[in-house]
Amino acid sequence: MKRDWEIIRAVLIEIEELAEAERHRFSYSLNDSHEAGAQAKAEHAMLLWKAGFIQAHDVGTSEGPAILSPELSWQGHELLDTLRSKQVWERIKTTAKEKGLELTFDVVKGLGKVALDYVIKQGG
């Protein structure tokens, strides 16, 4: 699987928007019964969980890994704050491409500050 920052952003936003009542029933699981989009989201959610950006209960079974009741950790909130604004996110991607940089967590965080400054200066 190749890491996809669009999916990472979508997963973080999805988790943040979960109401408390929904959160306790919400899960991501890796099994073959998912459609391609749901499977990709689950794979990226697992990566974020293992990296400490998501806190959740491990409910994996013999059918595959799964997490229940996901919520953002402090680190997850920090990352989402960098990615939340569509305008800032687009600027991060543009700058990375112009500079020939791979999008890693460190690059995204660093370019997020630059992109935010740029967007503020542009009045947007």
Side-chain angles (χ1 to χ4, degrees), residues 95-115:
T95 303
K97 187 174 182 177
E98 289 171 356
K99 304 288 183 188
L101 300 171
E102 292 293 323
L103 287 177
T104 65
F105 286 110
D106 291 337
V107 169
V108 168
K109 291 293 282 182
L111 289 179
K113 293 173 187 165
V114 173

Side-chain angles (χ1 to χ4, degrees), residues 73-88:
S73 65
W74 182 271
Q75 193 177 10
H77 279 286
E78 290 291 310
L79 179 59
L80 181 55
D81 286 346
T82 301
L83 303 176
R84 181 185 322 280
S85 164
K86 188 69 171 168
Q87 190 175 11
V88 171

Side-chain angles (χ1 to χ4, degrees), residues 54-73:
I54 295 173
Q55 296 172 340
H57 301 285
D58 183 352
V59 293
T61 66
S62 60
E63 294 180 23
I67 55 174
L68 177 67
S69 302
E71 57 186 300
L72 300 180
S73 65

